[in-house]
Amino acid sequence: MDSILIAMILALLIPIYEAWQDDDIWQKILAFTSIATKTSIMMLVISVSRDDWSIGVVAVIILSVGNAGLMLMAHLIKG
Amino acid sequence: MIDILSYGLIIVGIIFWFWGTLPLIGNRSVLFKLHSLSVADTLGSMAILVGLLLKVPSEWSLLLLAIITLAIWNTVLGYVIAYCASDNSQPANK
Amino acid sequence: MDANTIFNLILRLTIWLLLTNNFGLLNFSIGLAIAFLLPQSKTSPVKIKDWLQVLWRILKAIPQAYIEAIQIMLRPHNQEDFVQEKIKAKRTPGLIFLDIFLITFTPKTIVTKYDERGWYEVHRVKPK
């Protein structure tokens, strides 16, 4: 379970790096959506590995509210 | 048996994650990256969640809700970003 | 009560039950009350047959999405292009949303634009 989590953290570093190095706003937003999804999946994995469902409930709520903020921001930036 | 299946699905999901996220760094268009991100973030994450579901079937209701909302929101967000970004980056098509 | 209202109620009740993870009678009735109290959207009525068809298409789309994902992974798809797809006649907004959802859900195709005169603009990737 630990090695799975380490692999996930490594995968998470890719969009973080991309968000830092790319100046185009859409590429940045794309990287941020990827970060958002990956972290909430990681929360669920952690909650399973620790057998602590209060973390899991938070992750499910984050997933079900979704990336509504990012959608709104995309529309605002598009103008 | 179920343990092997669930770890298998999680590993497949992580492979999807890496495969779909690595093109982010390259110099492709937003839309091309969006295709590979839908492999990684929608399908890969769904595989991971199904793997977790097999591991802890007692929490099936929360995990099922997570799978459904993940699929819906990621797809809709993909469409919204494609719609917003294509207006900017491909003016020649309009 | 038309089919659409019933479908909406069932959808809300399902989400409530899944989120609270409690299938007792009390929680069931609370969920039912909330499903009734939330404002109903006014949409044009849809036949149950259409919804069943939609459910079936969603179930078919999941394995298809994985097949396409594996195809993309095995062979590099480097060509990109835009195609226009015609919307079938007489679609309600809900069904159009589902069409767009299903096209975008599969990794090879993404809807980038929906034109009210009856076209989707679809972006595809193809092998060389």
Side-chain angles (χ1 to χ4, degrees):
Chain A
M1 216 60 193
D2 274 356
S3 47
I4 287 173
L5 207 59
I6 290 169
M8 288 175 136
I9 292 172
L10 286 179
L12 184 63
L13 288 177
I14 303 169
I16 291 179
Y17 170 75
E18 164 70 14
W20 166 70
Q21 63 108 32
D22 206 311
D23 280 336
D24 182 47
I25 186 71
W26 295 110
Q27 308 268 3
K28 261 193 212 290
I29 287 187
L30 214 55
F32 280 129
T33 59
S34 183
I35 294 172
T37 316
K38 285 188 169 57
T39 40
S40 28
I41 300 294
M42 279 167 71
M43 283 172 78
L44 273 170
V45 171
I46 290 170
S47 82
V48 168
S49 76
R50 294 197 173 185
D51 206 17
D52 177 357
W53 273 95
S54 40
I55 302 174
V57 171
V58 175
V60 172
I61 290 174
I62 290 177
L63 275 176
S64 49
V65 176
N67 293 318
L70 275 167
M71 280 183 207
L72 200 65
M73 199 163 79
H75 273 290
L76 283 177
I77 290 170
K78 190 193 158 213
Chain B
M1 179 62 204
I2 283 195
D3 239 24
I4 298 171
L5 196 60
S6 93
Y7 276 115
L9 277 171
I10 293 176
I11 289 166
V12 165
I14 289 178
I15 293 170
F16 272 35
W17 269 25
F18 273 104
W19 185 88
T21 320
L22 280 173
L24 262 186
I25 296 176
N27 251 337
R28 299 304 297 259
S29 68
V30 173
L31 286 172
F32 182 82
K33 290 180 178 178
L34 212 52
H35 285 287
S36 53
L37 264 190
S38 79
V39 173
D41 281 353
T42 314
L43 298 176
S45 304
M46 274 169 75
I48 293 175
L49 288 182
V50 174
L52 291 180
L53 183 64
L54 292 176
K55 230 171 127 52
V56 273
S58 59
E59 295 289 341
W60 65 272
S61 65
L62 277 179
L63 283 172
L64 189 66
L65 187 68
I67 293 172
I68 295 170
T69 52
L70 176 87
I72 294 176
W73 278 112
N74 255 2
T75 311
V76 173
L77 184 66
Y79 166 63
V80 169
I81 289 182
Y83 173 73
C84 291
S86 66
D87 243 23
N88 269 359
S89 56
Q90 269 110 6
N93 273 302
K94 295 283 119 60
Chain C
M1 286 245 280
D2 57 315
N4 216 24
T5 321
I6 295 171
F7 181 82
N8 259 328
L9 288 180
I10 292 173
L11 187 75
R12 289 169 182 179
L13 192 61
T14 316
I15 292 174
W16 174 262
L17 290 176
L18 286 178
L19 189 62
T20 52
N21 193 13
N22 177 351
F23 297 87
L25 187 61
L26 178 66
N27 195 50
F28 188 87
S29 8
I30 294 174
L32 202 61
I34 288 178
F36 266 107
L37 286 177
L38 284 178
Q40 300 276 346
S41 58
K42 282 198 204 78
T43 46
S44 41
V46 191
K47 294 191 198 89
I48 285 189
K49 211 183 99 214
D50 282 349
W51 280 114
L52 287 179
Q53 214 179 5
V54 158
L55 277 180
W56 173 238
R57 282 175 55 205
I58 292 175
L59 287 181
K60 270 199 306 188
I62 295 171
Q64 207 215 333
Y66 277 96
I67 290 169
E68 284 192 9
I70 290 165
Q71 279 174 346
I72 293 186
M73 288 170 91
L74 293 181
R75 277 199 298 161
H77 284 52
N78 285 324
Q79 299 279 334
E80 310 172 35
D81 65 352
F82 283 95
V83 285
Q84 306 238 304
E85 240 172 65
K86 202 169 174 24
I87 303 174
K88 288 176 207 127
K90 291 251 184 174
R91 295 302 238 181
T92 59
L95 288 177
I96 288 178
F97 171 79
L98 267 151
D99 276 346
I100 293 178
F101 174 81
L102 287 176
I103 295 174
T104 313
F105 183 69
T106 49
K108 280 188 191 177
T109 46
I110 289 179
V111 179
T112 58
K113 199 165 168 252
Y114 157 62
D115 189 41
E116 298 204 340
R117 279 161 300 179
W119 297 94
Y120 306 121
E121 202 167 292
V122 179
H123 182 260
R124 294 188 306 182
V125 286
K126 285 193 302 189
K128 261 201 197 110

